[in-house]
Amino acid sequence: MDKLKMQSMDKVQENIRKIQALFPNAVTECADERGGVKRCVDFDVLKQELADTLIDERELRYQFTWPDKQKSVLLANTPTNKTLRPCKEESVDFDSTQNLYIEGDNLEVLKLLQETYLGKIKMIYIDPPYNTGNDFVYNDDFSQEADEYKENSGQLDEQGNRLFQNTESNGRFHTDWLNMIYPRLRLAKDLLSDDGVIYISIDECEITNLKTICNEVFGSKNFVDTLHWKKKKQPSFLAKHTAKVMEYVLVYAKNWESLEKLSIENLSDATKKVVNLTNQFSVRHFKKGVRVKYGTNGVIKKGSYQIKTMSVEYLDDVYFDNGRTINAVDVKAQFSVSQDKIEKYIEDDLLFVTVNYGLRRDVSIEESKERKAITDLLLSEYGDNQESDKEQREIFGEKYFDYSKPIALIKNLTKAVNTQEHLILDFFSGSATTAHAVMQLNAEDGGNRKFVMVQLPEPCDEKSEAYKAGYKNICEIGKERIRRAGAKIKRENGLTAQDLDMGFRVLKLDSSNMKDVYYRPEEYSQSMLEGLADNIKPDRTALDLLFQVMLDLGKPLSAKIEEKNIAGKSVFNVDDGDLVVCFESNITSEIVTEIAKAKPLYAVFRDSGLSSDSVAANFEQIFATYSPNTVRKVL
């Protein structure tokens, strides 16, 4: 059995692997910080391979740089051995939801998400600190001791994350902001799918620097547009020179050629629907494999279906991937197009079923080209700060954030990307407007979008209304908003919203579940050796360990988790048997055999969990007999 590495992806070693595939002679070996050997790049050889004319380091050339930029690059590439610990008591529908709310420094969280969500995020929206001179930004100088930093800045949150107020009197005003945003964008880019898009809200203070950074990170060819959002209905009469009513939304694609056309305006219902309530009876023939969207994906069996008023009567059941069936009367639809068009929709894989709208069809490639493009001037239909204030008061009865974005802005930006079934990430979650907008949009169009919110638990000012109301940090406000917004959406939308996912799993960034066992030989004592017999920290639960394993093996953090009992031992079944985990001690051959018979893709055990040497000796043979393809790991 192999040991799990228990740390995030090492971006440097991954890049070296790619270089080695192209230029094997440029990769050699060198000593690491522990006296071992690691792969490294011989840059002199690499320079010879890449150009017949070399650029001297002192030669002037076009580039964008600032103090500590190289440290920012290194920061993005350095792996982390931290983990995410689940918090069921603060979650909603923990066992069934596909949404995530993650508390912690977003730099560390983005590193942890690399293995699992690499290339899987369709849309990212962020509203980072604008660097107005009053924003608290992240301090990533990890070489500075926490006590020393607290003495210098006076800012530490409950998890010990370091914050500082980046005032204009600071000689590193722009530098510190650039050092904060740059590594986070580098990591975010890798999470985007090939047809994904990122929206970044910003004001005039850093828009020039931000666009230059994005051109470097995403490539200037992937720049889509700078949208102008009207944040105020009326300009301020107190403005000294010009009254500012606009902010900006930078838009970049992961791959401009793969990005679908951005369009705020959906096709009309008359164009999208294949149904018409005026036709009372007709028969249509469906071929095998027609897609179904009814909470989860599935297929309709081949056959003829009698269409009746306000319902569809099927000759066969509709089967779903999870084995669940639905009754014909659950789907309301009548057809208004010919049999030939129905067959064309089927051939083009455009036909599907939704619980809210009955039989519908997707937009074809030809039609998508005709969709009206998003304009760069975003006016009233995208909301403003007054709407955002009103939305907060509707949820809380008070306004806790001064500059949160309105639901309409994020909802319309989301609609523009056509994200019916995709993941949406916001790693500056703030008041959780993005989560609210995603749930609202799902209720409106029957979509199944999932959100991942990430937010540092910044402490609330003790004089603020939020603190007086009992919210100690921003995360507490964000989570409560999602809870209340979900309940409100269900109330307002009745039966059509009851099956929508309004829950979220809360995960909190923390140190590794594993003890630090890296000591020099002279530092060991007998008491230490006894304590290291178990390599897991004593305050960690089985669920904590499970989520670190899921991170390590790239399993979705929203995956279905079932806890079973096998011969008196607790066993976790993740993602319908893809991963089976047992952290119990005294594991017998009987338990190992039962797990092997389940034929999981991965099987993970505690390093010291096997009951005896004979069980350990038989372990590999048991799996070789019942499930030779299972990857076996130990924690």
Side-chain angles (χ1 to χ4, degrees), residues 253-493:
K254 172 72 171 289
N255 184 337
W256 192 87
E257 294 179 352
S258 300
L259 181 66
E260 298 178 54
K261 183 175 182 178
L262 296 180
S263 171
I264 292 300
E265 294 189 14
N266 291 326
L267 297 175
S268 68
D269 283 348
T271 308
K272 293 175 73 174
K273 291 184 180 179
V274 192
V275 299
N276 189 322
L277 300 182
T278 60
N279 293 348
Q280 291 193 357
F281 299 96
S282 62
V283 176
R284 296 292 181 263
H285 301 278
F286 288 80
K287 296 180 181 179
K288 184 178 181 181
V290 176
R291 294 185 300 117
V292 174
K293 187 166 67 176
Y294 189 90
T296 55
N297 291 330
V299 295
I300 296 179
K301 284 190 172 183
K302 180 180 178 180
S304 300
Y305 300 86
Q306 181 71 39
I307 309 305
K308 295 183 177 180
T309 304
M310 295 302 292
S311 69
V312 180
E313 182 175 326
Y314 298 110
L315 300 184
D316 292 296
D317 283 333
V318 179
Y319 285 86
F320 292 85
D321 294 338
N322 61 5
R324 184 169 61 88
T325 64
I326 61 169
N327 297 322
V329 294
D330 291 335
V331 181
K332 301 175 180 179
Q334 289 177 310
F335 293 95
S336 61
V337 298
S338 67
Q339 178 69 43
D340 291 341
K341 284 190 177 181
I342 289 289
E343 291 182 353
K344 176 62 176 171
Y345 298 151
I346 294 169
E347 292 292 341
D348 293 342
D349 197 27
L350 297 175
L351 200 66
F352 62 93
V353 175
T354 71
V355 63
N356 293 332
Y357 299 106
L359 286 155
R360 302 282 295 271
R361 67 180 176 87
D362 276 344
V363 181
S364 67
I365 295 174
E366 291 75 18
E367 289 171 327
S368 68
K369 293 177 181 177
E370 298 173 0
R371 297 172 72 191
K372 186 175 179 180
I374 181 174
T375 62
D376 65 351
L377 187 62
L378 308 181
L379 297 173
S380 59
E381 65 267 30
Y382 295 84
D384 53 36
N385 286 340
Q386 285 180 274
E387 272 192 41
S388 174
D389 293 348
K390 179 182 176 183
E391 289 160 0
Q392 290 185 60
R393 290 190 172 95
E394 286 178 351
I395 293 292
F396 293 108
E398 287 284 349
K399 186 186 80 167
Y400 295 143
F401 290 84
D402 289 330
Y403 304 109
S404 66
K405 295 299 182 285
I407 296 170
L409 173 64
I410 302 174
K411 190 173 69 172
N412 280 305
L413 293 176
T414 305
K415 288 167 67 176
V417 190
N418 196 16
T419 56
Q420 285 286 113
E421 298 283 338
H422 298 93
L423 278 169
I424 296 167
L425 169 66
D426 182 346
F427 54 89
F428 286 95
S429 174
S431 64
T433 306
T434 301
H436 192 163
V438 168
M439 294 189 298
Q440 183 66 50
L441 187 55
N442 282 342
E444 291 176 6
D445 67 7
N448 189 31
R449 304 167 185 86
K450 282 79 66 177
F451 63 75
V452 179
M453 300 292 104
V454 183
Q455 176 59 42
L456 186 76
E458 300 176 41
C460 295
D461 189 317
E462 293 185 9
K463 298 178 182 178
S464 68
E465 293 300 320
Y467 190 89
K468 294 174 184 176
Y471 301 104
K472 293 182 179 179
N473 61 57
I474 289 178
C475 289
E476 292 182 4
I477 303 173
K479 287 178 291 188
E480 184 61 20
R481 177 178 185 172
I482 301 173
R483 294 185 193 104
R484 296 189 184 194
K488 182 174 181 287
I489 290 168
K490 284 194 172 186
R491 286 195 308 270
E492 293 175 347
N493 290 272

Side-chain angles (χ1 to χ4, degrees), residues 9 87 178 227 255 274 472 530 565 604:
M9 181 186 297
C87 185
L178 293 170
L227 307 180
N255 184 337
V274 192
K472 293 182 179 179
E530 291 172 357
N565 188 290
V604 179

Side-chain angles (χ1 to χ4, degrees), residues 218-251:
F218 297 97
S220 57
K221 68 177 182 179
N222 292 316
F223 169 68
V224 177
D225 206 347
T226 301
L227 307 180
H228 298 69
W229 172 60
K230 188 177 179 181
K231 64 180 179 179
K232 294 180 179 179
K233 287 184 172 67
Q234 298 293 333
S236 172
F237 293 107
L238 300 177
K240 184 175 182 180
H241 297 297
T242 59
K244 301 184 184 302
V245 297
M246 289 290 178
E247 286 184 5
Y248 308 96
V249 181
L250 281 180
V251 188

Side-chain angles (χ1 to χ4, degrees), residues 408-610:
L409 173 64
I410 302 174
K411 190 173 69 172
N412 280 305
L413 293 176
T414 305
K415 288 167 67 176
V417 190
N418 196 16
T419 56
Q420 285 286 113
E421 298 283 338
H422 298 93
L423 278 169
I424 296 167
L425 169 66
D426 182 346
F427 54 89
F428 286 95
S429 174
S431 64
T433 306
T434 301
H436 192 163
V438 168
M439 294 189 298
Q440 183 66 50
L441 187 55
N442 282 342
E444 291 176 6
D445 67 7
N448 189 31
R449 304 167 185 86
K450 282 79 66 177
F451 63 75
V452 179
M453 300 292 104
V454 183
Q455 176 59 42
L456 186 76
E458 300 176 41
C460 295
D461 189 317
E462 293 185 9
K463 298 178 182 178
S464 68
E465 293 300 320
Y467 190 89
K468 294 174 184 176
Y471 301 104
K472 293 182 179 179
N473 61 57
I474 289 178
C475 289
E476 292 182 4
I477 303 173
K479 287 178 291 188
E480 184 61 20
R481 177 178 185 172
I482 301 173
R483 294 185 193 104
R484 296 189 184 194
K488 182 174 181 287
I489 290 168
K490 284 194 172 186
R491 286 195 308 270
E492 293 175 347
N493 290 272
L495 293 175
T496 60
Q498 297 312 301
D499 291 332
L500 293 177
D501 186 356
M502 300 292 170
F504 57 96
R505 278 184 180 173
V506 175
L507 304 171
K508 297 188 178 184
L509 183 72
D510 208 333
S511 61
S512 173
N513 294 312
M514 316 308 290
K515 295 176 181 176
D516 187 356
V517 296
Y518 299 111
Y519 296 95
R520 290 190 296 272
E522 62 270 20
E523 294 177 322
Y524 281 103
S525 65
Q526 184 60 40
S527 61
M528 288 174 60
L529 292 174
E530 291 172 357
L532 294 175
D534 189 344
N535 61 342
I536 297 170
K537 292 177 180 176
D539 65 332
R540 304 304 164 98
T541 67
L543 206 58
D544 291 335
L545 301 179
L546 176 62
F547 272 83
Q548 188 159 3
V549 170
M550 291 166 66
L551 280 170
D552 203 86
L553 296 179
K555 300 303 297 180
L557 298 175
S558 58
K560 180 181 178 182
I561 300 171
E562 294 180 296
E563 189 172 2
K564 298 182 178 180
N565 188 290
I566 299 178
K569 302 294 183 181
S570 177
V571 176
F572 290 104
N573 182 315
V574 179
D575 213 6
D576 294 323
D578 271 6
L579 168 64
V580 176
V581 178
C582 183
F583 298 124
E584 299 270 15
S585 56
N586 297 316
I587 301 299
T588 64
S589 294
E590 175 190 358
I591 298 170
V592 174
T593 301
E594 285 300 310
I595 292 174
K597 284 181 177 180
K599 293 182 171 55
L601 185 61
Y602 295 98
V604 179
F605 299 85
R606 202 163 180 156
D607 194 14
S608 57
L610 301 181

